Amino acid sequence: MTVTTSGELPELLHDVIVVGAGVVGTAIARELARHRLRIALVDAGDDVGNGTSKANTAILHTGFDAVPGTLESRLVREGRRRLAAYAEQSGIPLEPVGALLVAWDPEQLATLPALAAKAVRNGYHATRLLDAAELARREPHLGPGALGALEVPDEWIICPWTTTLAYATQAVRAGVDLHLNCRVQSVTGGRHHELATSRGLLRTRYLVNAAGLHADELDRLLGRQDFTVTPRRGQLIVYDKLARPLVGHILLPVPTALGKGVLVAPTVYGNVILGPTAEDLDDKRATGSSAEGLETLRAMGARILPALIDEEVTAVYAGLRAATGQDDYRIRAHPRLRYVTVGGIRSTGLTASMAIAGYVTGLLGDAGLHLGPARDLEPVHMPNIGEARPRPYQRADLIAADPAYGSIVCHCERVTHGEIRDALTSTVPPGSLDGLRRRTRARGGRCQGFYCGPSVRALFEDGRR
Amino acid sequence: MSRTARAVDVLVVGAGPAGLAAAAHLAAAGAGRVEVLEREQEPGGIPRHSHHQGFGPRHRPTTGPRYAGRLADAALAAGAALRTGVTATGWAGPRTLDVTGPHGLERLSASAVVLATGARERPRSARLVPGTRPAGVLTTGELQQAVHVHGQPVGSRAVVVFTAGADAVARAAVDTLRTAGAHVVALVTEGTRGPLRSPRHRFPLLTGSTVVELTGHGRLTGVRVRGDDGRCALLDCDTVVFTGDWMPEHELARRGGIALDPGTRGPAVDTAFRTAVPGVFAVGNLLHGVEPAVSAAAEGRGVTGPVLAHLAGTDPWPDGGAPLRVDPPLLWAAPNRVRPGGPPPLGERFVLRTAERLTAPVLVVHQDGRVLDRQRLPRTALPGRPVHLRARWTAEADPDGGPVHISVMSDSRRSGVGGPPILAV
Ligand SMILES: Cc1cc2nc3c(=O)[nH]c(=O)nc-3n(C[C@H](O)[C@H](O)[C@H](O)COP(=O)(O)OP(=O)(O)OC[C@H]3O[C@@H](n4cnc5c(N)ncnc54)[C@H](O)[C@@H]3O)c2cc1C
Ligand SMILES: Cc1cc2nc3c(=O)[nH]c(=O)nc-3n(C[C@H](O)[C@H](O)[C@H](O)COP(=O)(O)OP(=O)(O)OC[C@H]3O[C@@H](n4cnc5c(N)ncnc54)[C@H](O)[C@@H]3O)c2cc1C
């Protein structure tokens, strides 16, 4: 069981190295770990899921609106099924809230039947049309003018952080080496791949590129020029938990050419999110928010759910989708190079992650990697940071066994000393306060550290000594 | 899930100046078993980590921790039970709270509940400041605890952003930053004036300036500000402190279904600190933005009589009363429910805030088109500073009428000063 963040790298020859420990890379590492292989997962960041995977809309999609017949359509459908079951088993926060695709004008209303038909072509049959009266009954706080909706009951909300962490934890426990702060800088071919990283050399027979926004650059190191990643920024506003009663479903807009559009949705942590925007940029580090972006979101939010705009904002963030100018994933095996590229996983990668992992494992097998029989992995049980099930501060049994679970440190999010301690000693411990926040929610609430910041920091620094 | 259930006479939530003062006076006045819940490990509220001399009576200033310590001692000496590390997490009934602490889960019922949960500063996110999300972005509350409670380093070059009227807190932030060895690069405010500068308090001051972006990946590298003239500058710093911009800590109140005042965002209360829920009172900064600690403590003391009357059952919980509303540029008034027969508010005056500077303003109190009072203020009213309205008019209000409004009328003899006349009176 190894996770390294600094120092020497092992000299052994790996069977597979996966570059990129986002939700896709960790899912692949986990799937490969079911086979008897020497595997390493490397990431440039100081934590798993520190790229696009930490900053999305956190919806478990049905794929009802995918382009029918694409690989994405298929993998989203299959991934949804697999991840829903996995979440149930592993304690990943998940809430079956369902979505309503709301029509705000007659034109949009007229497109709903076509969207229902498209859903059927994507293998999804459970949509239903709601008239204005039923819509108003289901979502009483909706702004004036909503004419009707298409109900998509199987669009759910999920915790993206726990998902990535569960994959990584299970992979590491099954023997995968995880090397963080380890940027792949160049790759030399030959009998096997030699990866020059920011921490030294790694060698492997097979290579998987799950580098997200940087998948095109890694491809180029191996002489491939199949696509270019254009970062498409999505800014989001997170509203206070006190706003949660305002909305029951994921409120989707009728999709446009630019993407899925701005939605309002509950989060599994009991907040409400508004977003994302869609802006094509050329800087892969441009994860900041902008005044225009926030203004646009607030204007749209005021239309969808007027009362939301009076609520306090807890957080603002932005994620970058890996757009490639094509309406599908860019997953491709290069058997002669013993190499698989997992590119263009734009706006559905969280949902599809387990199916992508299965698909990539198959491609590696086809490319000559001897997989051998698969085993079942030891199940993981992740700490619950969602509001649908009791949190530790609500559990008399836990507190009786260990008073640290009754000692609340972060008051807004009610995170206890016990949870922070557990995160710091977990299989994949956080490398930063932000990593600790994603594991426990500490400092993630409305006060953003006014009350608890220094105490949480002290626990973090003590725990790392 | 087992919870132990218990009953007390008075349950006070929050051991800041307001809650401690309430507990001390209630216990001393024979209110029975008075219990104070505090979620922090130490009592005292904000003063606990405000190490500057600025607390207590003006003629005998002391530091926050000393001031808080005295209040806690007084509450204990009077016989109140003070329980720290214990959080009120929600309601199981109108005067029954669910509580979490290391000893387990409890359900505490009381004849009277006094909410004294304080206020916090709005963080950068709630102020919608765009940019990246680097480390080094703080509020004064976080800064003071980091430096004074934990001895943590806070960076070397700091910018302090403050809202109009939050001068005292901005100065406290400057002191704390310097204690921690940081260089204060600038103070930035959208307002027109800054805190008074003393020889001890020298700092570059940017007035009329808005923070438009934070930059840096990992650690803060700069704060971009835009001046009144539209020109931008990037201040090179690794720390920024957002001060002022107060927000009542009203979660517990809201979860209990207690109506809030739209201006203060704290529970709407009448002049006896009564919320709309029978048996539930609210005091201190929970009722408004930040006032000096002595004001919060005075409100805690002031709730004693009303709580005792409620416990004695002599004073039935009054329903309604007329809400008190303010018109722009006024922001809020507290208390904010009036009943003609009710007691006068603390100090026989209402506290107000204005968004704009008002020179020699006349405040007009009116209800359903009827003028109840007109008061010329002795001084210029400034944003962020308390403005006081004498309460002599409350007997004139109609309890069954519409909201009582407070409007500003500019001084008619000096046209163009202040806002336009709002009322033809
Ligand atoms: C605004 C937004 C909303 C979204 N909403 C949803 C949603 O609701 N549902 C859903 O299913 N999906 C959603 N997505 C999509 C989902 O987030 C992505 O598809 C998914 O996170 C992609 O994961 P990844 O592992 O491919 O990329 P990443 O998470 O970016 O991981 C790539 C990793 O590779 C590492 N890396 C890159 N180059 C190197 C190198 N040279 N050496 C070492 N490491 C390297 C990076 O550090 C990074 O950690 C959304 C995305 C965005 C931006
Ligand atoms: C940086 C700064 C500097 C200041 N400087 C001065 C100064 O120099 N002089 C001065 O007079 N005033 C000063 N003040 C203002 C003064 O601190 C406040 O007016 C005073 O603390 C308000 O008292 P309070 O009891 O209403 O609230 P607080 O002091 O905020 O106390 C509220 C308490 O309630 C607790 N609580 C909240 N919710 C719960 C719950 N659910 N369960 C259990 N406990 C809970 C909190 O932990 C907290 O301890 C300053 C304030 C700040 C922020």
Side-chain angles (χ1 to χ4, degrees), chain B residues 1-340:
Chain B
M1 231 141 284
S2 63
R3 279 184 184 271
T4 51
R6 209 152 50 76
V8 297
D9 296 295
V10 184
L11 195 57
V12 180
V13 185
L20 290 173
H25 286 82
L26 282 162
R33 181 166 170 99
V34 178
E35 189 161 313
V36 189
L37 307 178
E38 171 53 55
R39 62 191 183 181
E40 297 290 345
Q41 301 302 322
E42 300 290 331
I46 302 275
R48 188 174 51 89
H49 50 76
S50 297
H51 279 228
H52 55 280
Q53 298 266 346
F55 291 84
R58 203 168 277 172
H59 59 278
R60 216 158 27 89
T62 184
T63 66
R66 233 179 259 136
Y67 178 74
R70 275 186 219 148
L71 289 172
D73 290 346
L76 289 172
L82 180 50
R83 298 174 63 211
T84 57
V86 174
T87 306
T89 58
W91 303 77
R95 287 179 309 283
T96 303
L97 286 164
D98 279 344
V99 161
T100 293
H103 56 276
L105 305 182
E106 276 180 305
R107 186 155 282 177
L108 294 178
S109 301
S111 304
V113 173
V114 179
L115 299 177
T117 52
R120 63 176 191 272
E121 288 163 308
R122 277 203 175 85
R124 169 264 176 108
S125 50
R127 301 181 192 212
L128 290 175
V129 175
T132 54
R133 302 177 72 198
V137 184
L138 311 172
T139 46
T140 320
E142 181 165 10
L143 171 72
Q144 289 190 342
Q145 293 188 66
V147 174
H148 297 307
V149 180
H150 293 277
Q152 291 164 350
V154 292
S156 58
R157 295 173 55 79
V159 167
V160 175
V161 183
F162 70 101
T163 47
D167 322 30
V169 181
R171 265 208 310 266
V174 168
D175 281 346
T176 305
L177 284 164
R178 287 183 178 157
T179 303
H183 168 68
V184 176
V185 176
L187 264 67
V188 178
T189 180
E190 290 187 19
T192 49
R193 53 177 69 194
L196 292 178
R197 277 183 264 200
S198 66
R200 215 159 55 83
H201 292 103
R202 292 184 180 284
F203 33 73
L205 177 66
L206 300 175
T207 55
S209 300
T210 315
V211 176
V212 292
E213 190 189 2
L214 302 188
T215 64
H217 290 274
R219 182 81 196 186
L220 183 75
T221 55
V223 169
R224 197 179 303 282
V225 295
R226 191 178 51 224
D228 278 343
D229 55 4
R231 290 204 303 198
C232 283
L234 183 66
L235 305 175
D236 168 17
C237 60
D238 59 11
T239 303
V240 59
V241 186
F242 287 92
T243 73
D245 200 352
W246 304 104
M247 182 69 195
E249 185 73 347
H250 63 203
E251 175 178 14
L252 198 58
R254 266 185 85 173
R255 295 218 185 271
I258 293 170
L260 303 187
D261 176 74
T264 61
R265 293 183 168 242
V269 290
D270 66 12
T271 51
F273 304 103
R274 287 178 288 221
T275 69
V277 174
V280 180
F281 300 80
V283 290
N285 282 340
L286 168 63
L287 295 181
H288 37 65
V290 157
E291 295 282 301
V294 285
S295 306
E299 290 176 2
R301 210 162 47 236
V303 84
T304 311
V307 170
L308 290 174
H310 170 72
L311 294 177
T314 51
D315 205 3
W317 203 261
D319 44 34
L324 184 56
R325 297 264 189 271
V326 297
D327 295 328
L330 298 177
L331 294 168
W332 53 256
N336 29 43
R337 291 200 302 139
V338 267
R339 281 181 313 110

Side-chain angles (χ1 to χ4, degrees), chain A residues 111-145:
Chain A
T111 61
L112 295 185
L115 281 162
K118 186 178 185 186
V120 170
R121 277 185 286 143
N122 280 312
Y124 185 71
H125 300 269
T127 64
R128 201 166 70 83
L129 288 166
L130 309 186
D131 63 17
E134 187 172 0
L135 176 59
R137 197 175 53 70
R138 301 273 291 269
E139 288 291 351
H141 299 281
L142 217 53

